[in-house]
């Protein structure tokens, strides 16, 4: 099989990172192998190490990719609409396309401090808090409420508790409607 062009290699890398970002949020980093990512992307496992130094390097890029996707969605909506959509059953039930803070948080809590994914995650959280904030002040409490509620709602999906968690967090952030 012949070599791929630089342009094709760049497209393949982008596809692998996007695929990994989705799969890692759906199944967790530990639940997804390099072979899983490459197969889902329709590429050979052997090509992975031509593009990435390690799975950890892929995780770091996938975190950045996922927060980039979030930033794109934040730019086109107001805070109240975002919060209402975030704290919805639809978002709860679609982790692969969902919030990277909730999707990667549990996994990265177990990473070493030297992990290259942790700074990418922290930068994403900083941007998220700035966007949710007002008057130039970050709103870390809103990020914590959103992410915490989503993690708990996903962990209790299929129960009334899950829906109550989403509702309580919406009321906390948006006020009683």
């Amino acid at each position: 099989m012949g070599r791929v062009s630089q342009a094709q290699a760049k497209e393949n890398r982008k596809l692998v990172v996007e695929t990994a970002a989705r799969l890692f949020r759906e199944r967790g980093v530990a639940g997804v192998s390099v072979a899983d990512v490459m197969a889902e992307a329709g590429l050979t496992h052997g090509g992975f190490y031509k593009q990435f130094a390690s799975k950890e390097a892929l995780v770091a890029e996938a975190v950045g990719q996922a927060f980039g996707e979030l930033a794109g969605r934040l730019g086109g909506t107001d805070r109240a609409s975002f919060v209402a959509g975030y704290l919805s059953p639809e978002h709860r039930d679609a982790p692969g396309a969902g919030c990277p803070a909730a999707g990667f948080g549990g996994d990265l809590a177990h990473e070493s401090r030297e992990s290259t994914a942790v700074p990418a995650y922290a930068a994403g959280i900083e941007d998220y808090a700035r966007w949710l904030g007002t008057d130039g002040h970050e709103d870390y409490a809103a990020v914590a409420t959103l992410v915490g509620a989503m993690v708990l709602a996903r962990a209790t999906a299929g129960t009334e508790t899950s829906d109550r968690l989403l509702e309580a967090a919406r009321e906390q952030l948006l006020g009683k409607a």
Side-chain angles (χ1 to χ4, degrees), residues 89 92-93 152-164 166:
R92 175 196 60 209
D93 298 341
L152 294 172
R154 286 180 177 159
T156 59
T159 70
E160 288 182 27
T161 300
S162 181
D163 293 330
R164 283 192 221 127
L166 295 174

Side-chain angles (χ1 to χ4, degrees), residues 49 117 130 166-167:
Y49 291 101
R130 269 191 296 283
L166 295 174
E167 182 181 346

Side-chain angles (χ1 to χ4, degrees), residues 67 70 74 79 82-83 86-87 99-102 121-133 137-151 169 173:
F67 272 107
L70 175 64
L74 294 177
R79 186 179 195 259
F82 174 77
V83 168
Y86 186 102
L87 295 168
C99 174
Y121 185 82
I125 295 294
E126 291 286 330
D127 290 343
Y128 200 4
R130 269 191 296 283
W131 185 84
L132 287 165
H137 298 283
E138 296 90 352
D139 194 342
Y140 292 103
V143 172
T145 301
L146 288 165
V147 174
M150 187 52 58
V151 168
L173 292 170

Side-chain angles (χ1 to χ4, degrees), residues 8-20 51-52 61 65:
Q8 186 60 54
K10 186 176 178 179
E11 283 300 311
N12 289 350
R13 182 183 185 95
K14 180 178 183 232
L15 175 62
V16 169
V17 172
E18 289 171 350
T19 301
Q51 295 281 345
F52 303 93
E61 267 192 64
Q65 165 68 31

Side-chain angles (χ1 to χ4, degrees), residues 11-118:
E11 283 300 311
N12 289 350
R13 182 183 185 95
K14 180 178 183 232
L15 175 62
V16 169
V17 172
E18 289 171 350
T19 301
R22 178 179 51 80
L23 290 176
F24 291 153
R25 285 178 285 178
E26 285 175 357
R27 301 185 214 162
V29 172
V32 177
S33 68
V34 167
D36 294 335
V37 172
M38 297 304 283
E40 184 79 13
L43 300 168
T44 63
H45 183 201
F48 176 82
Y49 291 101
K50 291 178 184 172
Q51 295 281 345
F52 303 93
S54 63
K55 181 179 176 184
E56 181 183 335
L58 175 60
V59 172
E61 267 192 64
V63 167
Q65 165 68 31
F67 272 107
E69 291 170 14
L70 175 64
R73 289 193 304 265
L74 294 177
T77 189
D78 63 275
R79 186 179 195 259
S81 297
F82 174 77
V83 168
Y86 186 102
L87 295 168
S88 69
E90 294 79 16
H91 180 229
R92 175 196 60 209
D93 298 341
C99 174
F104 285 99
D107 288 316
L108 295 183
H110 301 291
E111 290 292 316
S112 74
R113 292 180 187 239
E114 290 79 34
S115 169
T116 57
V118 172

